[in-house]
Amino acid sequence: MPEDTAPSSLSSPSSALDETVAALAAAHPGLRQSEPLAFGAALADVRLTPPGTARFSWAGYEVHVTVGHEDHLDRDHPDSTALYRQIRAHATLLVTQTNTVDGIGHVVWEMTNPRPDMVFPTAFAVAVADRADPRFAAAVLSTVAKALTHARLATEHAAAQAQQAADEVQWESERPAGVSPRTWLRDKRAQRDAAES
């Protein structure tokens, strides 16, 4: 949904950026822009590479940002001449422990992944087209925060899924002879669900 640009509904563009930076600093202390790098630059000073990308770093996470070209993104009002930019951001986390894992089965030789990243779901947003407008920087930073939230939610989901998978491996090792694997798993899942509710 495009933002309302009626003069009476607009807060100061710089105050929108200040509010976003303050919220980000509280939620993700130490967040910094790592590409393009500018030593001593404030977080509010959002910079993009010529292709329209940026990277932010926080607590081991890297957030990769891509900003699209000016476009008529207001699909609700096809006659609108307002231009916007789409922002996409996704977080990654380097997982170095994968280098110590051997595969199952035969291979000629094991190979090391040179960049074992875990990639989290992408966050999307729409920003004003003018990259000099403080609302543009606020939208980029807001999308970075959303990408980090996606990473947290995905991690919680993955942890729950990993626990469920571990339970099923354990249950299979305990399955009595002569009991169908499907029936056994169904019964064990029902017991788990009853205990959790």
Side-chain angles (χ1 to χ4, degrees):
M1 182 87 179
E3 61 190 88
D4 183 359
T5 55
S8 61
S9 68
L10 290 178
S11 60
S12 163
S14 57
S15 70
L17 178 56
D18 293 342
E19 290 169 10
T20 303
V21 169
L24 217 57
H28 307 287
L31 176 72
R32 61 185 174 80
Q33 183 166 357
S34 50
E35 185 183 304
L37 187 59
F39 293 105
L43 187 58
D45 180 22
V46 172
R47 301 165 308 283
L48 299 176
T49 63
T53 64
R55 192 171 68 220
F56 293 79
S57 302
W58 178 73
Y61 292 95
E62 296 287 326
V63 180
H64 306 264
V65 177
T66 304
V67 175
H69 298 289
E70 293 180 352
D71 197 1
H72 298 280
L73 298 175
D74 187 354
R75 305 292 185 241
D76 293 336
H77 302 95
D79 297 332
S80 171
T81 58
L83 296 175
Y84 300 94
R85 293 180 189 269
Q86 184 184 74
I87 302 170
R88 295 186 309 275
H90 69 275
T92 61
L93 181 64
L94 187 64
V95 185
T96 55
Q97 293 88 338
T98 60
N99 294 335
T100 62
V101 176
D102 290 329
I104 295 175
H106 174 75
V107 296
V108 176
W109 66 77
E110 296 286 347
M111 294 184 69
T112 301
N113 182 344
R115 185 73 185 171
D117 287 329
M118 185 163 40
V119 180
F120 296 97
T122 302
F124 293 87
V126 173
V128 295
D130 182 3
R131 290 171 33 173
D133 188 323
R135 293 175 300 167
F136 173 80
V140 169
L141 294 173
S142 175
T143 310
V144 167
K146 190 174 179 182
L148 288 169
T149 299
H150 285 184
R152 179 182 55 78
L153 294 172
T155 301
E156 291 170 1
H157 178 73
Q161 286 296 117
Q163 183 58 55
Q164 290 177 11
D167 288 347
E168 296 197 6
V169 169
Q170 177 66 34
W171 296 337
E172 177 59 24
S173 71
E174 299 168 350
R175 180 172 56 88
V179 176
S180 156
R182 182 176 298 206
T183 302
W184 180 252
L185 281 178
R186 185 187 65 230
D187 292 346
K188 295 300 276 184
R189 286 174 184 151
Q191 290 172 14
R192 178 193 60 210
D193 294 346
E196 290 176 353
S197 58

